[in-house]
Amino acid sequence: MNLPCKLLLSSYLCCLLATEARAQDAQSRAGLHRHPPQDQLLHEKFYSTWQMPDHPSVSCCNNADCYPTEIEYVDGNIYARRREDGRYIPIPPEKVERNRDNPDGRNHLCAPPPSTFHSSDTVFCFALGGAT
C-alpha cells in the first residue's frame, strides 16, 4: 500500500475510534443518571406511555432517553439542558407536550445522546414543568 493510502486509512481509523470513544463515554455518563428512588416508578410509567406530540403513534422513546431537566428561555424560545454534555438545546414547539400533565411538575426531555446517528439538537419529546 502506498504512503498516501496508509495516511488516509490511519486518519480514518483514528477518527472512527475517537467517535466511538466519545459515544461510549456519553453512554456511560447517561447510565449514571438515575431518577430519585421514590420517583422511579412514576417516571417509568409516564415515559413508557408518552407519545410524540407531533407524531402521536410514535413513542417518545424510553426511560433511558427521558429525564428531568433544567430549562432556559432565550427570546421566547425554550432551551433544555441535555444531561450528557450539559449543552442547552432548542426545543421545537411541535415537540412540546400539551395534552397530558407530566408526573412531578418538573421539566422532562426525551432526547438521544449526542452521536453520529442523530443531529446534535434532536428532541423526541418535551414536557414543561409547572415550577419554571
Side-chain angles (χ1 to χ4, degrees), residues 12-68:
Y12 173 76
L13 289 174
C14 285
C15 289
L16 185 63
L17 290 172
T19 300
E20 181 64 26
R22 282 193 303 268
Q24 287 177 350
D25 184 48
Q27 288 173 346
S28 67
R29 279 185 275 142
L32 295 175
H33 171 78
R34 298 282 183 256
H35 297 291
Q38 68 274 16
D39 292 345
Q40 189 67 34
L41 291 176
L42 184 68
H43 288 131
E44 287 175 7
K45 182 178 178 183
F46 178 72
Y47 297 150
S48 70
T49 60
W50 198 5
Q51 304 299 108
M52 290 186 181
D54 57 336
H55 298 288
S57 63
V58 179
S59 172
C60 284
C61 223
N62 58 40
N63 200 38
D65 292 324
C66 300
Y67 47 90

Side-chain angles (χ1 to χ4, degrees), residues 39-114:
D39 292 345
Q40 189 67 34
L41 291 176
L42 184 68
H43 288 131
E44 287 175 7
K45 182 178 178 183
F46 178 72
Y47 297 150
S48 70
T49 60
W50 198 5
Q51 304 299 108
M52 290 186 181
D54 57 336
H55 298 288
S57 63
V58 179
S59 172
C60 284
C61 223
N62 58 40
N63 200 38
D65 292 324
C66 300
Y67 47 90
T69 190
E70 300 167 5
I71 64 167
E72 291 181 346
Y73 285 98
V74 178
D75 296 328
N77 298 306
I78 302 170
Y79 288 76
R81 185 175 181 267
R82 185 171 47 209
R83 70 172 167 218
E84 289 84 6
D85 59 5
R87 185 171 169 261
Y88 281 80
I89 60 173
I91 303 299
E94 67 272 13
K95 295 297 184 178
V96 177
E97 180 61 62
R98 302 185 193 288
N99 296 318
R100 69 188 279 208
D101 293 329
N102 65 36
D104 58 7
R106 295 188 288 174
N107 308 302
H108 290 264
L109 174 65
C110 291

